[in-house]
Structures are given as structure tokens and as C-alpha cells.
């Protein structure tokens, strides 16, 4: 049975009858789509960076790692970098009008460091990644050094992975862009929307946090 159910009663019926099957089929279908994308990337020797962007709770990190697995199976040299590790220290973060830190803005990222590290990677095949400690809100400048070589590929995932502040440093032929979000609506049997993509992302974020 191919899982394309979009009404609450259909989903509930499948979940009651075969909950493990519901999860397995959904996961299989998603991974199949990711493998098709991986094949496009592997077939293009010019691609050096894959940018995975999307709103909060959309599955960026999960998708980046599934894509990484698929590309490794295709014998690609691959690594995943999170833009969350490029956050500025607490004393340099932008502040909202209510006095709280603005962690959603591209200005919260150390874009100068992003440009430096990825420009160096494009030129040398070596990528030095920082690590951001959210508990202390401080950054370890070089936490990991990756020797990826001339044909290496880096998957960069984050809210602003396709922001021109970041992508403009990469020649167009060297970057592959993926935007990910949840867009399937859950409806009742009369067609009324019970849960849209935005609310699904909110639920996922609440459960995760």
C-alpha cells in the first residue's frame, strides 16, 4: 500500500491497522526521493556545496544526514556542516525590540567566518568547522578539520543556507540548492483543513524542544 493518505480518518485507520508499516512506508518514500536528488548531485562533478534550507521544524538536519548517507553509498566524499555552529557569541548577537536575542536573523551568524571557511574549502579541499556551545553561547573557532579533497561535497544545512549573504560566495555551477518544508495538509472527511504545514512544523518543534 502506497502511503498517500491525507485525511485524518485514513491516517488513523492505517495507524491502527499497521503502525510500524505506516512509519516504514513514509520513511521509504522519503528516502527514495532523497536518493533521486543524491543521484543528480553525484552525476555533476562541479557540485562542491549542497545548501539545504527551510523554516524551523521542517526537517533540514534529518534530510541533510539522509542525503549524506545516500551520497556515501554512491562513493562520494561527503560531510555535513550546520550553520548553527556559526552563531555569534552572546555579546554580539542582534537584539529584538523586546530585549531578547534575535536568533532567527542572518545577522546572528558570523557571516565573515562562514565566507572565510567555505572560500578556503573551495580553494583547498580542506574545511575547518567551528562548534557552537549553546549552553554557554560561545564558539570554538576550529573544532573539526575535514580533508575532503578536490571532489569532496559539503552539505550545508540551516535556516539561512540559501541566503545570498552566504551563497553569493560560491560560483553557481558549484552549488546545489534544496528548499525543504512540510506542505501536505491533513483534512477531515469533508475536506476541511485540520492541520497545515505551519502547524505541523510547530508541533514538531514543540516535541523536539
Amino acid at each position: 500500500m502506497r502511503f498517500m493518505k491525507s485525511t485524518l480518518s485514513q491516517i488513523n485507520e492505517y495507524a491502527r491497522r499497521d503502525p510500524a508499516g505506516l512509519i516504514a512506508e513514509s520513511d521509504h518514500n522519503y528516502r527514495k526521493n532523497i536518493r533521486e536528488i543524491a543521484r543528480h548531485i553525484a552525476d555533476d562533478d562541479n557540485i562542491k556545496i549542497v545548501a539545504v534550507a527551510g523554516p524551523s521544524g521542517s526537517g533540514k538536519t534529518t534530510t541533510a544526514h539522509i542525503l549524506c548517507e545516500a551520497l556515501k553509498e554512491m562513493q562520494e566524499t561527503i560531510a555535513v556542516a550546520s550553520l548553527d555552529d556559526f552563531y555569534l557569541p552572546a555579546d554580539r548577537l542582534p537584539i529584538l525590540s523586546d530585549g531578547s536575542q534575535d536568533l532567527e536573523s542572518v545577522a546572528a551568524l558570523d557571516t565573515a567566518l562562514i565566507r572565510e571557511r567555505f572560500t578556503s574549502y573551495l580553494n583547498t579541499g580542506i574545511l575547518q568547522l567551528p562548534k557552537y556551545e549553546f549552553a554557554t553561547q560561545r564558539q570554538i573557532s576550529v573544532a573539526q578539520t575535514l580533508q575532503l579533497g578536490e571532489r569532496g561535497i559539503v552539505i550545508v544545512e540551516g535556516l539561512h543556507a540559501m541566503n545570498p549573504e552566504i551563497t553569493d560566495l560560491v560560483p553557481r555551477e558549484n552549488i546545489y540548492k534544496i528548499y525543504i518544508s512540510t506542505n501536505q495538509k491533513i483534512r477531515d472527511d469533508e475536506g476541511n483543513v485540520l492541520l497545515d504545514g505551519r502547524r505541523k512544523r510547530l508541533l514538531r518543534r514543540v516535541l523536539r524542544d
Side-chain angles (χ1 to χ4, degrees), residues 100-124:
S100 62
Q101 295 171 336
D102 183 4
L103 297 176
E104 302 296 312
S105 169
V106 70
L109 299 176
D110 191 339
T111 53
L113 184 63
I114 293 171
R115 287 176 172 271
E116 173 198 316
R117 297 294 166 83
F118 285 102
T119 298
S120 177
Y121 156 68
L122 290 170
N123 292 330
T124 68

Side-chain angles (χ1 to χ4, degrees), residues 82-89 92-94 102-115 118 130 132 134 139 156-167:
S82 172
L83 289 183
D84 285 358
D85 285 322
F86 287 89
Y87 271 117
L88 291 165
R92 295 173 58 195
L93 288 170
D102 183 4
L103 297 176
E104 302 296 312
S105 169
V106 70
L109 299 176
D110 191 339
T111 53
L113 184 63
I114 293 171
R115 287 176 172 271
F118 285 102
Y132 194 81
F134 283 89
Q139 183 194 88
V156 182
E157 63 92 4
L159 186 66
H160 293 287
M162 292 200 301
N163 191 300
E165 287 278 340
I166 296 166
T167 58

Side-chain angles (χ1 to χ4, degrees), residues 169-182:
L169 68 92
V170 185
R172 183 173 297 179
E173 67 272 15
N174 295 143
I175 190 167
Y176 187 99
K177 299 177 182 179
I178 300 171
Y179 180 83
I180 177 172
S181 188
T182 55

Side-chain angles (χ1 to χ4, degrees), residues 1 43 109 115 137 140 158 165 171 188 193 195-196 200 208:
M1 184 185 297
D43 287 343
L109 299 176
R115 287 176 172 271
Q137 289 192 306
I140 301 171
E165 287 278 340
D188 62 20
V193 176
L195 198 62
D196 60 14
K200 281 197 288 185
R208 184 186 72 188

Side-chain angles (χ1 to χ4, degrees), residues 137-150:
Q137 289 192 306
R138 70 182 186 91
Q139 183 194 88
I140 301 171
S141 180
V142 181
Q144 190 177 17
T145 300
L146 303 173
Q147 304 274 351
L148 295 169
E150 183 179 350

